[in-house]
């Protein structure tokens, strides 16, 4: 059975998507993840209005069941990526650009520029927990999330808009619904979960930034719950992510209601071959269970 899907108008050879931030922004690397790794689409590292160094090291830490990171949205800034955009013009893979800003105006400024580069979709990162001034403030509030989405949508026109949400929102389904009303074309859930680790011998927080975002296997149950709740609340498709590294993980997200599945930390643990492995394992499960299409199992856990 083919794993091809339509996600918010994007034709993907399979439902696996490189999550934003894990592999930087090099055009050559993105091409490799698609061609050699087998990903169905590629999300770029979030792009901001200005050049930003991110947080000092240590900024990524391996925990027992996941990663804790506070890379702090390092970005060359949209104006300093000309070479990369030129290389991406010739691409043969579906490209999702991810953007962030500290205000609605900044989101609009970045989206205007990025839309001219014609990515296949634009993901609006209203959910990063690692910087005080960016992201989180929007994603926990329905009105603020909707304002970012509708303002960016006005700028980018027909380009599909994906709103990336945070599990820190008290009611993520309500945020998703507000984004849908503001004309988002899809929802991405989830970004990392806020966390912290302390070096008890040094008696100090380990991350330079003190707090970070947890990703990987530890957050899969959080992601599954969020996707399940969002699926009930909206009609637009969901890109589910958080702790996916096997075909069974991907099927679990699809049964919760996801149309496509993102992989971030899984690349850190298993390399870019993780996409092909997840697809192979999904096909095996589908065959064993005599499933005819992904549509048949999408949201089936809702009964
Ligand atoms: C090192 C690192 C950097 C990240 N940077 C971004 C980013 O720039 N923008 C964004 O929207 N999400 C970012 N994320 C979050 C991931 O895209 C993803 O939502 C999260 O890690 C959960 O998926 P996973 O468990 O498969 O990693 C980052 C995650 C990690 C681990």
């Amino acid at each position: 059975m083919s794993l091809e899907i339509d996600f918010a108008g994007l034709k993907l050879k399979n439902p696996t998507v490189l999550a934003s931030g894990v592999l930087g922004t090099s055009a050559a690397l993105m091409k490799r993840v698609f061609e050699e790794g087998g990903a169905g689409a590629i999300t770029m590292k979030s792009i901001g209005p200005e050049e930003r160094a991110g947080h000092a090291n240590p900024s990524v830490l391996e925990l027992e069941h996941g990663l804790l990171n506070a890379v702090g949205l390092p970005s060359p800034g949209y104006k300093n990526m000309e070479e990369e955009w030129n290389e991406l013009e010739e691409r043969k893979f579906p490209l999702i650009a991810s953007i962030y800003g500290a205000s609605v105006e900044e989101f609009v400024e970045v989206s205007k520029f990025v839309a001219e580069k014609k990515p296949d979709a634009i993901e609006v990162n209203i959910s990063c927990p690692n910087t005080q001034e960016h992201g989180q403030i929007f994603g926990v509030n329905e009105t603020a999330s909707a304002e970012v989405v509708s303002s960016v949508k006005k700028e980018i026109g027909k380009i599909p808009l994906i709103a990336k949400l945070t599990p820190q929102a008290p009611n993520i389904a309500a945020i998703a619904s507000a984004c849908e009303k503001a004309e988002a074309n899809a929802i991405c859930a989830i970004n990392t979960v806020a966390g912290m680790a302390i070096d008890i011998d040094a008696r100090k927080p380990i991350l330079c930034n003190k707090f970070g975002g947890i990703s990987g296997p530890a957050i899969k149950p959080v992601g599954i719950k969020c996707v399940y709740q969002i699926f009930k609340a909206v009609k637009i498709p969901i890109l589910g992510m958080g702790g996916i590294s096997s075909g069974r993980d991907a099927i679990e997200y699809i049964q919760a209601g996801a149309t496509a599945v993102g992989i971030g930390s899984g690349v850190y643990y298993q390399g870019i071959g993780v996409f092909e492995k997840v697809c192979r394992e999904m096909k095996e499960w589908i065959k064993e269970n005599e499933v005819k299409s992904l549509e048949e199992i999408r949201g089936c856990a809702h009964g």
Side-chain angles (χ1 to χ4, degrees):
M1 194 194 95
S2 155
L3 291 180
E4 260 176 37
I5 56 152
D6 178 301
F7 179 77
L10 272 65
K11 302 266 175 280
L12 308 190
K13 64 182 176 183
N14 69 62
T16 65
V17 177
L18 173 68
S20 180
V22 184
L23 276 183
T25 52
S26 133
L29 196 51
M30 291 186 233
K31 184 168 174 248
R32 264 192 67 206
V33 174
F34 179 76
E35 286 177 2
E36 291 171 40
I42 306 292
T43 315
M44 297 171 79
K45 170 94 193 143
S46 295
I47 303 162
E50 302 294 340
E51 184 174 354
R52 206 185 130 85
H55 296 308
N57 287 324
S59 63
V60 182
L61 179 70
E62 207 174 315
L63 306 172
E64 295 95 326
H65 304 292
L67 303 175
L68 179 66
N69 97 80
V71 291
L73 291 173
S75 172
Y78 71 86
K79 298 176 200 117
N80 303 317
M81 295 175 62
E82 213 46 50
E83 206 177 304
E84 203 135 59
W85 289 120
N86 290 342
E87 280 180 52
L88 286 169
E89 221 172 285
E90 302 291 305
R91 72 182 181 274
K92 299 217 165 45
F93 53 85
L95 179 72
I96 303 169
S98 167
I99 62 166
Y100 71 83
S103 62
V104 175
E105 291 72 26
E106 279 190 5
F107 270 103
V108 168
E109 176 194 335
V110 181
S111 68
K112 200 171 180 168
F113 179 89
V114 169
E116 279 171 19
K117 304 296 176 190
K118 299 194 169 48
D120 299 285
I122 295 181
E123 189 170 271
V124 179
N125 179 6
I126 48 174
S127 48
C128 184
N130 297 338
T131 66
Q132 261 176 6
E133 73 273 40
H134 294 113
Q136 186 89 305
I137 42 171
F138 295 103
V140 294
N141 178 284
E142 287 162 53
T143 314
S145 298
E147 203 185 337
V148 173
V149 168
S150 63
S151 308
V152 169
K153 189 61 189 170
K154 274 193 202 106
E155 283 307 323
I156 68 174
K158 285 200 168 63
I159 300 175
L161 184 153
I162 306 169
K164 183 159 181 182
L165 306 192
T166 172
Q168 312 296 128
N171 182 351
I172 197 168
I175 305 279
S177 178
C179 290
E180 182 181 45
K181 285 196 192 92
E183 292 192 41
N185 303 94
I187 299 292
C188 174
I190 55 175
N191 209 316
T192 54
V193 178
M196 180 180 193
I198 293 169
D199 177 339
I200 58 166
D201 300 311
R203 305 182 182 198
K204 283 199 310 207
I206 301 179
L207 291 177
C208 187
N209 186 55
K210 294 195 183 106
F211 312 126
I214 311 165
S215 60
I219 68 164
K220 196 183 75 177
V222 182
I224 293 288
K225 170 187 164 277
C226 290
V227 169
Y228 188 91
Q229 291 179 315
I230 294 167
F231 183 75
K232 267 199 158 82
V234 302
K235 296 214 158 44
I236 51 179
I238 305 165
L239 167 53
M241 62 180 68
I244 297 174
S245 66
S246 72
R248 292 186 70 87
D249 295 335
I251 299 278
E252 191 177 345
Y253 268 93
I254 291 170
Q255 292 196 358
T259 295
V261 288
I263 303 179
S265 304
V267 179
Y268 174 91
Y269 290 112
Q270 299 184 27
I272 63 169
V274 66
F275 298 95
E276 208 177 277
K277 193 205 82 162
V278 165
C279 290
R280 191 181 63 246
E281 290 173 354
M282 281 175 81
K283 280 186 180 164
E284 283 164 10
W285 187 91
I286 283 166
K287 201 169 165 205
E288 275 164 28
N289 291 275
E290 296 174 9
V291 168
K292 293 193 180 51
S293 69
L294 289 176
E295 206 55 52
E296 185 186 320
I297 55 164
R298 179 161 312 115
C300 69
H302 291 260

